[in-house]
């Protein structure tokens, strides 16, 4: 690729965007694990302020009812939308959910946790916007880079709205899963546009087809495992609600079959990654990008297994929940970039890209 300034600037901004997306996933994991989703009950302000309050004394006496009413109105609008798309039963459940009428108590720590998450999201949105702007440099050479960059900007706006629905509806199961998968899609698009700009849109398989197929299979299983993970979390939330927050050390055992599937799938994912690791080491040079990515993936996978064990046997500590989520996204990102690097332009074959 030519070394012109606009191209270099696009690559730098795109790379920073990818890093910010991982940070945002971590921040979202912290919000999720600490129950801080309603720390800011309104949007885009937080308790009606651009800088959130630090004390309940800064809020009006009727703040609970005010934001409970706003939340109810928002859910009613979402229920109408579900009716339009044929999800009448889901809409009815949301309309009849009396729990949304329970006012949220002000908690300074949760408020600032959610506020920081929003701040990181806003910064990430700015970088996605800049990525889209600078992508037009590639309009003549690779229109797909431009199309994907603009699409990502649209998706992140939708993701922000969906995130608010996740919290407002008390984490309706399928919305949580869609929210996580959409986050991975946004991350994958950013990684793809970065790689496409580096190789200038010229692709050629640089290894045996079997390795590429196995890499794709491992990537697909990782996505499936992440999906199982969101479903495990949803089930645990239901258990926690039923037990009113008590008997925390028994939540995972009460999660049922989905927890067993998630645990068993982890073994399958590990075995296939070991096989892929061996093949990559035998096929590519020691300092090649492919081998570095595979080594990084394996390290992240080991750390993810450790956090999974901590979650299972130490009563789901919030720090382990957040780490488990971001490690899963790092595994996905590295595997996806590995797959892309198996299809590089001829002048990048074999080693150092």
């Amino acid at each position: 690729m030519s070394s012109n300034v606009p191209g270099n600037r696009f690559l730098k901004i795109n790379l920073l965007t990818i890093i910010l997306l991982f940070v945002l996933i971590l921040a979202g994991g912290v919000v999720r694990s600490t129950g801080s989703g309603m720390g800011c009950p309104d949007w885009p302000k937080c308790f009606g302020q651009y800088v959130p309050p630090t004390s309940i004394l800064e809020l009006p006496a009727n703040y609970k009812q005010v934001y409970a009413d706003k939340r109810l109105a928002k859910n009613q609008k979402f229920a109408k939308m579900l009716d339009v798309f044929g999800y009448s039963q889901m809409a009815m459940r949301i309309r009849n959910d009396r729990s949304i009428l329970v006012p949220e108590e002000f908690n300074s720590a949760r408020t600032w946790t959610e506020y920081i998450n929003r701040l990181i999201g806003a910064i990430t949105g700015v970088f996605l916007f800049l990525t889209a702007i600078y992508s037009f440099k590639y309009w003549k050479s690779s229109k797909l880079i431009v199309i994907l960059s603009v699409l990502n900007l649209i998706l992140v706006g939708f993701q922000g709205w969906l995130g608010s629905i996740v919290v407002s509806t008390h984490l309706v199961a399928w919305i949580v899963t869609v929210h996580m998968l959409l986050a991975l899609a946004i991350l994958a698009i950013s990684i793809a546009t970065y790689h496409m700009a580096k190789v200038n849109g010229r692709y050629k398989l640089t290894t045996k087809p079997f390795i590429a197929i196995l890499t794709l299979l491992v990537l697909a299983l990782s996505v499936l495992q992440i999906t199982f993970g969101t479903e495990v979390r949803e089930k645990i939330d239901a258990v926690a609600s039923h037990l009113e927050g008590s008997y925390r050390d028994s939540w995972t055992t009460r999660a049922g079959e989905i927890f067993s599937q998630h645990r068993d799938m982890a073994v399958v994912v590990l075995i296939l990654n070991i096989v892929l690791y061996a093949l990559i080491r035998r096929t590519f040079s020691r300092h090649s990008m492919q081998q570095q990515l595979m080594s990084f993936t394996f390290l992240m996978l080991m750390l993810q297994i450790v956090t999974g064990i901590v979650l299972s046997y130490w009563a789901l500590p919030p720090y382990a929940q957040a780490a488990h989520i971001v490690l899963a996204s790092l595994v996905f990102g590295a595997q996806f970039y590995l797959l892309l690097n198996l299809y590089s332009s001829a002048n990048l074959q074999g080693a150092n890209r």
Side-chain angles (χ1 to χ4, degrees):
M1 193 184 82
S2 60
S3 58
N4 55 74
V5 172
N8 287 341
R9 194 167 294 166
F10 173 82
L11 285 170
K12 290 177 181 178
I13 292 173
N14 200 340
L15 181 59
L16 282 172
T17 301
I18 293 169
I19 293 170
L20 281 169
L21 284 169
F22 282 118
V23 174
L24 184 58
I25 290 172
L26 174 60
V30 172
V31 168
R32 181 83 167 84
S33 62
T34 57
S36 302
M38 286 301 291
C40 292
D42 51 336
W43 190 93
K45 295 181 180 180
C46 184
F47 284 105
Q49 304 175 33
Y50 286 109
V51 178
T54 57
S55 170
I56 194 171
L57 298 177
E58 300 175 48
L59 298 174
N62 66 335
Y63 80 91
K64 292 182 183 179
Q65 191 58 48
V66 168
Y67 293 111
D69 290 343
K70 288 182 178 180
R71 183 178 183 183
L72 177 61
K74 182 176 184 178
N75 282 9
Q76 294 301 320
K77 289 181 181 179
F78 182 60
K80 288 181 180 179
M81 189 184 76
L82 290 174
D83 281 330
V84 171
F85 288 99
Y87 293 95
S88 300
Q89 290 185 347
M90 181 72 70
M92 187 63 67
R93 280 175 51 195
I94 291 174
R95 289 190 179 99
N96 295 332
D97 184 3
R98 299 295 94 187
S99 65
I100 66 172
L101 300 177
V102 178
E104 293 286 335
E105 294 282 349
F106 174 77
N107 182 301
S108 180
R110 290 182 177 179
T111 292
W112 279 86
T113 299
E114 169 59 11
Y115 179 73
I116 292 171
N117 175 52
R118 290 186 183 187
L119 193 60
I120 295 171
I123 295 171
T124 305
V126 170
F127 272 84
L128 281 165
F129 175 75
L130 292 174
T131 301
I133 293 297
Y134 281 100
S135 70
F136 280 89
K137 179 265 174 186
Y138 296 95
W139 183 252
K140 291 183 178 179
S141 60
S142 179
K143 289 182 174 60
L144 186 58
I145 293 177
V146 180
I147 293 170
L148 289 176
S149 297
V150 173
L151 173 63
N152 231 12
L153 188 60
I154 297 170
L155 287 178
V156 80
F158 178 73
Q159 177 77 329
W161 171 80
L162 192 63
S164 69
I165 295 297
V166 166
V167 174
S168 182
T169 58
H170 275 182
L171 306 171
V172 173
W174 64 270
I175 299 181
V176 177
T177 301
V178 171
H179 189 60
M180 185 64 206
L181 293 179
L182 187 56
L184 295 182
I186 293 169
L187 178 62
I189 290 173
S190 289
I191 292 172
T193 54
Y194 177 79
H195 184 259
M196 290 167 66
K198 289 194 74 171
V199 302
N200 224 6
R202 299 186 302 272
Y203 290 95
K204 180 179 180 180
L205 183 61
T206 61
T207 187
K208 297 175 182 179
F210 173 74
I211 294 179
I213 293 171
L214 181 59
T215 304
L216 181 60
L217 175 62
V218 169
L219 178 64
L221 287 176
S222 291
V223 173
L224 182 61
Q225 177 69 333
I226 290 171
T227 303
F228 280 161
T230 62
E231 292 179 0
V232 168
R233 183 64 223 189
E234 292 157 14
K235 183 66 175 178
I236 287 175
D237 283 340
V239 171
S241 177
H242 177 71
L243 296 176
E244 299 181 344
S246 304
Y247 307 103
R248 189 181 180 96
D249 56 351
S250 71
W251 290 357
T252 54
T253 56
R254 292 171 183 259
E257 185 179 352
I258 188 63
F259 177 75
S260 300
Q261 290 175 343
H262 185 57
R263 181 187 57 203
D264 295 343
M265 180 64 76
V267 176
V268 175
V269 169
L270 176 61
I271 292 172
L272 287 178
N273 271 281
I274 291 173
V275 173
L276 182 60
Y277 189 29
L279 289 172
I280 293 293
R281 283 178 62 89
R282 191 167 64 180
T283 304
F284 295 95
S285 63
R286 181 177 179 182
H287 299 292
S288 67
M289 178 60 78
Q290 290 86 350
Q291 191 166 149
Q292 290 177 33
L293 285 168
M294 195 64 237
S295 297
F296 177 80
T297 300
F298 204 70
L299 174 60
M300 295 301 101
L301 195 61
M302 291 296 100
L303 291 175
Q304 192 184 17
I305 290 173
V306 170
T307 58
I309 292 172
V310 171
L311 288 171
S312 297
Y313 294 100
W314 277 273
L316 299 164
Y319 70 86
Q321 293 180 45
H324 199 63
I325 292 171
V326 76
L327 286 169
S329 66
L330 285 167
V331 169
F332 168 82
Q335 288 174 337
F336 183 65
Y337 196 51
L338 171 63
L339 181 64
L340 293 175
N341 271 272
L342 298 179
Y343 291 87
S344 298
S345 60
N347 62 317
L348 296 178
Q349 278 191 32
N352 298 316
R353 277 298 215 257

